Every structure is written in structure tokens, then in C-alpha cells.
Amino acid sequence: MASGGSIRTAASLIAGAKHIVCFTGAGISAESGIPTFRGTSGIWEKYPPSLFGNIPGLALAFLLFPGKVRNFAFEAIETIVNTKPNPGHEAIAEMEKVGIISSVITQNIDGLHEAAGSKKVLSVHGSIYVFRCRRCGERTDVDKEWLREAARRLRLARSSRFGLIQTLKGLSTKCEKCGGLKRPDVVFFGESLPADVFSVAYEEALKCNAMLVVGTSGLVYPAANLPLVAYKHQAAIIEVNPENSPLSALAAVRLRGTASEILPALLKEISSVLW
Ligand code: BJW
Ligand code: ZN
């Protein structure tokens, strides 16, 4: 747990700033039960990014190990739909509600910020709750029940290529606008980030006077540039992470602890400074 002193410094930086933005990564959802990507118990220990982090890799994995692709898909969906926001997400939602922060820029696809009550969420790597037409780009929301059913069918799918294709065919829907095929609106390596969302996130990074950076290794671009943009425009960077990251070098205050320990304490401290 970070010292009270650091939390006090962070709180006074935030209380003195006009426009505050929060930037989050997988670490904020770790205490909800969603593993992070990197590290010894990260997703990539079991599903390496060379195969599971990009579309050509996934296509190859599908040919070589269709059963593993099936497991990757259903484990990801099942884990996410069965998790709830933790006190870290809740503190961020409360900070927006009481007017402390203006938006959350997240690299996560899990929808937990929205579930906690955050309204302005910029999901720069997409969302598992959105499908996108491959042809015209039209986005459609999918609900938890649909995803639960998809996970159930994937779990029961045969581990052969044919079995998996049959299951995926049964789950695929056509775009209401142009009839094109839809895919999950999540961003893999080598793919562009959603330009409309990223441009608003970039504006937020340019405008903010303080950025709260929570639970990210800061290794994936262009998202990892956002704290740098904020820093170069004189914003105070406050990092919440139990570990050091490349973004630590930018931080005016580094709060070493987990999101669900630090963020509620920080909210309490900001409230006592402001009100
Ligand atoms: C806690 C905690 C607790 C733990 N509380 N904290 C060479 C140089 C620079 C860039 C490139 C390059 N070669 C290629 C690129 C571009 C590439 C990139 O950045 N690669 C780098 C890895 C080198 N980027 C892209 O490809 C992006 N697109 C793009 O650039 O488009 C232009 C382009 C087009 C065509 C060709 C080339 C470029 C797209 C990036 C998409 C990222 N997608 C993923 C998911 C992949 C799917 C999958 O495998 O499931 O998004 S990757 C993964 O990393 C995921 C995350 O959103 C992202 C960031 O990870 P995050 O959130 O930081 O998590 P972790 O696990 O890394 O860290 C967790 C942190 O939490 C740690 O610090 C812990 O300490 C901490 N923590 N518990 C608080 N309780
Ligand atoms: Zn379409």
C-alpha cells in the first residue's frame, strides 16, 4: 500500500487540476478476476501473442490447434461475462459522478467501467460487447445473455476445425445495414484502433491537466502515447500500479499498490481536500 503522504500529494494535484482524465489497462480488472496479459499468470503464458494476439496468428492457430482457439475464445468470453466491477472501477465511476474526472480512456474490452457506472468511457481497443461489420464498419451492441450463449456453444463445440466452423457459423450474424459479416469489435496487433474513439481520447490527453494512469504496462502503442501526450502538455501524471512501468518515469506521483486499495483511498482524500 502506498504511503498516505503520496496519496495526499496525488489528491492535491488532482484537486488543483481543472480537467482530469483516467487511463486504464488490464491491471484495474485483475481484482475482478480477469487476468492481465503480461506477467507469470498473464493470459499470454497460456495463449502466446504471436498466435493469439493477431489475426494472421489466429488463422494459423486455427489450422494447427483448433481446440486451443476454441478454448481461448470461450475462456475469454466466459471470464468477462462472469465478472463484476471492483472497488477500483467503482471509485473511478464515483470520481466522474462528482465531477472530479471527465472521462475514462481504457484499453480494456471488458465493459467493467460502464458496469460500475462510468458514462464517458473511451474504449480504444474496442469492446467484447460490440460487433462490427467487416464491410461497412457499422457497430452493433451485443448483450451479456448473447455472449453467455456464445461461450456455452463454444465450450460444447467439437475441437476439430469442422466442429468449430459449424459453431461459428451458427453464431455469425449479418449486418442489418449492408448484409456484410460481423466480427467482435476488439483490436488485435497490426489492426487500427477505432479512429473516432481514439481521436476523442487524444483530445482528452491534450486537454487534461492531470492524468490518472491505472494498471497498465504502457507497452502497447498508440495507446501508450496518450500519457506521453498529456505529460508533454504539462499534465501531472499519477500512476497507480503495484509495479514499475515505462510510464513511471513520467509520473509526478507513483502510488504503489493495487487499484482497489489505492483508488477508494485516493477518492476519499480528494474529497477531503475539495469539500
Ligand atoms: C495492477 C494490478 C492491480 C496488476 N492494480 N495494477 C514496435 C514498436 C512500437 C510499436 C509497434 C512495434 N511493432 C508493432 C507495433 C504496434 C503495436 C504495438 O504497440 N506493439 C508493441 C507490443 C511493441 N500496436 C498495434 O499493433 C496496435 N495497432 C496499431 O499500431 O495500428 C497501426 C498499425 C497498423 C498496421 C500495422 C502496424 C501498425 C494495436 C494494438 C492492439 C492491442 N491489443 C491487445 C489485445 C490482443 C488480443 C489478445 O491477445 O487477447 O490489447 S494486446 C494487450 O495489450 C491488450 C491490452 O489492451 C494491451 C495493453 O496491455 P495492458 O492493459 O497494459 O496490460 P498488461 O498485462 O500489459 O499490464 C498490466 C499492468 O497492470 C501491469 O503493469 C501490472 O503491474 C499492473 N497490475 N495487477 C493495478 N491489481
Ligand atoms: Zn455493414
Side-chain angles (χ1 to χ4, degrees):
M1 179 69 147
S3 76
S6 326
I7 287 192
R8 252 197 302 281
T9 313
S12 57
L13 280 173
I14 289 174
K18 219 170 138 192
H19 194 99
I20 301 138
V21 169
C22 185
F23 176 65
T24 67
I28 193 168
S29 297
E31 289 158 288
S32 289
I34 303 177
T36 59
F37 290 89
R38 297 162 181 86
T40 45
S41 47
I43 295 172
W44 287 345
E45 278 295 303
K46 191 168 169 193
Y47 298 110
S50 52
L51 285 177
F52 294 90
N54 64 89
I55 301 287
L58 271 171
L60 181 62
F62 178 76
L63 290 174
L64 299 175
F65 334 102
K68 197 155 180 185
V69 174
R70 176 202 60 184
N71 295 350
F72 172 67
F74 89 72
E75 283 172 22
I77 303 172
E78 215 164 58
T79 307
I80 291 177
V81 296
N82 289 317
T83 50
K84 288 204 294 273
N86 64 53
H89 298 101
E90 285 159 5
I92 290 173
E94 186 63 20
M95 286 184 201
E96 182 185 347
K97 197 172 158 202
V98 300
I100 297 169
I101 63 166
S102 17
S103 61
V104 184
I105 303 170
T106 187
Q107 299 165 86
N108 300 344
I109 60 165
D110 56 31
L112 289 180
H113 284 297
E114 290 90 338
S118 288
K119 300 288 179 223
K120 189 162 178 191
V121 183
L122 301 162
S123 299
V124 293
H125 289 163
S127 165
I128 200 168
Y129 292 100
V130 180
F131 269 59
R132 183 179 81 239
C133 172
R134 289 173 189 272
R135 199 188 286 163
C136 75
E138 178 80 356
R139 294 190 186 112
T140 331
D141 291 343
V142 293
D143 61 23
K144 229 175 207 180
E145 280 323 301
W146 190 91
L147 284 173
R148 274 192 216 284
E149 177 58 17
R152 194 187 67 83
R153 289 202 213 171
L154 282 164
R155 183 158 30 83
L156 297 174
R158 278 177 290 144
S159 59
S160 65
R161 264 179 260 162
F162 179 73
L164 193 50
I165 288 171
Q166 289 301 100
T167 304
L168 292 174
K169 267 191 182 162
L171 289 170
S172 71
T173 49
K174 297 242 170 92
C175 171
E176 293 73 16
K177 216 168 148 191
C178 77
L181 277 178
K182 291 187 205 169
R183 58 162 275 184
D185 191 24
V186 297
V187 184
F188 286 85
F189 283 121
E191 297 193 295
S192 303
L193 276 64
D196 50 349
V197 180
F198 192 74
S199 66
V200 181
Y202 194 86
E203 285 297 317
E204 286 289 279
L206 275 179
K207 255 195 310 210
C208 71
N209 316 105
M211 184 182 270
L212 194 51
V213 175
V214 185
T216 179
S217 59
L219 292 170
V220 175
Y221 289 86
N225 262 332
L226 296 170
L228 193 64
V229 168
Y231 174 79
K232 283 193 173 156
H233 287 80
Q234 326 302 329
I237 309 293
I238 293 134
E239 183 182 54
V240 178
N241 195 318
E243 308 285 336
N244 231 23
S245 85
L247 301 175
S248 305
L250 311 178
V253 183
R254 292 174 278 275
L255 301 173
R256 292 280 166 257
T258 73
S260 75
E261 284 170 356
I262 299 279
L263 292 170
L266 182 60
L267 171 63
K268 205 167 154 205
E269 192 67 31
I270 300 167
S271 309
S272 78
V273 173
L274 283 177
W275 299 294

